Amino acid sequence: MYCVRNVTEDLYWVGANDHRLALFENIHPIPRGVSYNAYLLLDEKTVLFDTVDWSASRQLIENVEHLLDGRPLDYLLINHMEPDHGASIEEILLRYPDVKIISTEKAFMLMHQFGFHIDSHEQIEAKEGATMNFGKHTVTFVYAPMVHWPEAMVTFDVTNGVLFSADAFGSFGALDGKLFNDEVDFEHEWLDDARRYLTNIVGKYGPHVQALLKKASTVDIKIVCPLHGPVWRSNLGWFIDKYDKWSRYEPEEKGVMIAYASMYGNTESAAQALAAKLCEKGMTNVIVHDVSNTHVSQLISDAFRFSHIVLASVTYNLGIYPVMHNFLMDMKALHLQNRTFAIVENGSWACKSGDLMEKFINDELRDMTVLNERLSLASALHPEKASELDALADCIIESMNGEKK
Ligand code: FEO
């Protein structure tokens, strides 16, 4: 059965929701599913904007066939060639042998690489700033390299202000009937997944997101149609502000993420004691994660969210606990920067994790601050250490208030 929704009077969402995929890109858990958004414009010419993952091809085909109702598909416009959007290109080409393909030179190269038989179709290269008219609607092409692949572009409909934004402004989470941002409680139910999506998928490419935001600020955008998650037709400035912060690596909130690595619960106990101390002192914007059972994509998302990060790690094989090390490596890979760290270390017979974590932060991460106060445990946190715990909490709060480093 087809499943479509109007975006505007002649533009339709023709994508699909996926609740079967457990791991996006075979890495990131998506317990709320994901949507693959594609859009069909029924103008004098008919235009399909992007396709969907291979697993959702059948739904896309049903949707497009239903809306075309016997009309030909004139154009297939590809903004982004990653297979979660481009995998169904071949299916479209087989069903619409006269369809012309509009995309970037790099995307055409990738289509060949993925083995799509595009050469029997007319290929129209979308040049930066060029325009195309489909009847009532005229669109212009804006290159968006590395948001999130090098071939990516976005397409702006100058007639009605619709921006087809590719991976930008997307989110994990299946739509399940709802389409627009004002049909969901985005701030409370979606923001976390939107942050986790952006920071893990495109986090490394902040300057490229910034470049796209700069280009986008020059046009009057009324509706944003991303390739995942809700379509934005209101409150866009609020969401752009989030994107701006994430892509500048600026903390979204003053607050503390405590990430702990604990083998037998003693480091965990210290992490909880620190959380309670912070709250007692009035800093209640605190979140605590066990790195062993919190997916690193969530740790990354909260590292982008909060201004302060406490790493509390047991020493393991005279090194950093492996899962904590993995978190550090991911922060490095995604170019997280401009955060303040505090360190809690533990070791029963050779406490090394604190020095090693501090060295990693200073040597491998960018523009980070490590607070001077450190809490060192020998096996467990004992009452004699209460003043040190207190001092660490004070130090974090003072640093947050700009009083201490
Ligand atoms: Fe949703 Fe970069 O693809």
Side-chain angles (χ1 to χ4, degrees):
M1 174 66 184
Y2 63 83
C3 178
V4 301
R5 283 201 59 185
N6 274 86
V7 179
T8 65
E9 59 174 1
D10 52 4
L11 179 68
Y12 297 81
W13 177 84
V14 291
N17 293 295
D18 188 347
H19 282 284
R20 294 189 174 197
L21 188 71
L23 297 174
F24 188 82
E25 293 184 346
N26 215 11
I27 291 183
H28 310 294
I30 44 170
R32 296 173 58 245
V34 69
S35 73
Y36 311 114
N37 298 342
Y39 304 90
L40 183 67
L41 179 68
L42 298 181
D43 200 347
E44 287 171 25
K45 298 293 183 185
T46 58
V47 188
L48 177 61
F49 293 83
D50 294 290
T51 72
V52 296
D53 187 82
W54 177 253
S55 62
S57 279
R58 188 175 71 169
Q59 187 67 62
L60 173 74
I61 298 296
E62 281 194 63
N63 293 345
V64 170
E65 280 183 357
H66 163 68
L67 287 170
L68 286 176
D69 196 21
R71 289 183 68 184
L73 180 63
D74 297 306
Y75 296 103
L76 171 60
L77 192 157
I78 298 295
N79 285 300
H80 184 24
M81 254 310 292
E82 191 168 10
D84 54 333
H85 312 292
S88 300
I89 288 174
E90 186 87 342
E91 287 300 312
I92 295 294
L93 300 184
L94 285 169
R95 283 170 170 76
Y96 302 97
D98 296 326
V99 70
K100 303 177 177 70
I101 314 169
I102 306 167
S103 199
T104 62
E105 185 184 7
K106 284 182 179 155
F108 287 128
M109 181 196 76
L110 288 170
M111 289 177 210
H112 283 119
Q113 279 184 203
F114 279 108
F116 299 152
H117 299 92
I118 61 173
D119 287 340
S120 59
H121 294 261
E122 186 176 332
Q123 293 157 38
I124 302 168
E125 188 184 331
K127 299 266 193 193
E128 167 98 37
T131 59
M132 270 192 84
N133 179 267
F134 301 124
K136 201 168 82 175
H137 294 265
T138 299
V139 300
T140 184
F141 309 113
V142 180
Y143 285 7
M146 302 319 296
V147 186
H148 127 239
W149 279 18
E151 90 304 348
M153 68 170 184
V154 302
T155 301
F156 183 61
D157 186 332
V158 297
T159 308
N160 60 2
V162 171
L163 177 70
F164 298 91
S165 65
D167 269 349
F169 305 110
S171 177
F172 294 140
L175 292 165
D176 297 344
K178 300 167 281 285
L179 178 62
F180 296 101
N181 68 297
D182 53 35
E183 294 176 335
V184 301
D185 184 346
F186 197 90
E187 183 168 2
H188 298 106
E189 294 175 6
W190 283 76
L191 178 59
D192 203 43
D193 259 347
R195 184 192 306 105
R196 195 163 61 86
Y197 165 83
L198 187 276
T199 57
N200 284 277
I201 305 295
V202 196
K204 180 176 180 177
Y205 306 116
H208 297 85
V209 175
Q210 281 289 310
L212 178 60
L213 290 177
K214 199 169 166 192
K215 288 182 186 179
S217 69
T218 63
V219 292
D220 185 15
I221 300 168
K222 296 205 163 49
I223 296 176
V224 174
C225 292
L227 289 175
H228 301 286
V231 168
W232 284 80
R233 65 179 177 186
S234 62
N235 214 12
L236 190 55
W238 175 84
F239 199 35
I240 288 175
D241 181 61
K242 299 288 182 197
Y243 257 69
D244 184 43
K245 284 196 170 71
W246 297 333
S247 56
R248 282 190 291 112
Y249 306 100
E250 182 184 309
E252 208 177 319
E253 299 170 16
K254 275 189 179 180
V256 186
M257 173 175 74
I258 303 175
Y260 70 82
S262 185
M263 292 167 65
Y264 297 107
N266 292 299
T267 311
E268 176 183 10
S269 173
Q272 290 291 352
L274 178 61
K277 190 58 76 179
L278 287 165
C279 292
E280 189 178 272
K281 290 174 181 289
M283 170 33 67
T284 54
N285 195 18
V286 176
I287 192 162
V288 177
H289 287 306
D290 178 351
V291 296
S292 294
N293 61 30
T294 306
H295 193 268
V296 71
S297 65
Q298 185 64 52
L299 300 175
I300 288 294
S301 176
D302 282 331
F304 272 75
R305 178 181 171 190
F306 289 108
S307 59
H308 286 62
I309 301 168
V310 178
L311 301 181
S313 181
V314 67
T315 302
Y316 195 82
N317 283 335
L318 295 181
I320 304 168
Y321 196 67
V323 194
M324 181 65 85
H325 189 250
N326 184 50
F327 175 36
L328 283 160
M329 292 293 287
D330 232 25
M331 283 191 276
K332 176 185 174 183
L334 294 170
H335 291 182
L336 181 69
Q337 47 204 280
N338 301 322
R339 294 297 184 278
T340 301
F341 284 85
I343 285 175
V344 177
E345 61 179 351
N346 194 359
S348 292
W349 41 272
C351 190
K352 298 282 186 194
S353 58
D355 283 349
L356 292 171
M357 288 192 293
E358 183 159 354
K359 181 171 167 43
F360 191 102
I361 293 164
N362 288 331
D363 294 355
E364 307 285 344
L365 304 185
R366 303 174 179 205
D367 298 326
M368 301 298 197
T369 300
V370 181
L371 295 174
N372 287 328
E373 294 287 344
R374 183 194 293 185
L375 185 60
S376 296
L377 315 182
S379 299
L381 180 63
H382 296 288
E384 308 88 83
K385 290 267 184 179
S387 61
E388 288 180 40
L389 179 71
D390 205 61
L392 182 60
D394 282 340
C395 184
I396 292 169
I397 291 170
E398 283 164 17
S399 135
M400 206 171 285
N401 295 333
E403 295 161 13
K404 190 172 185 176
K405 288 214 165 170

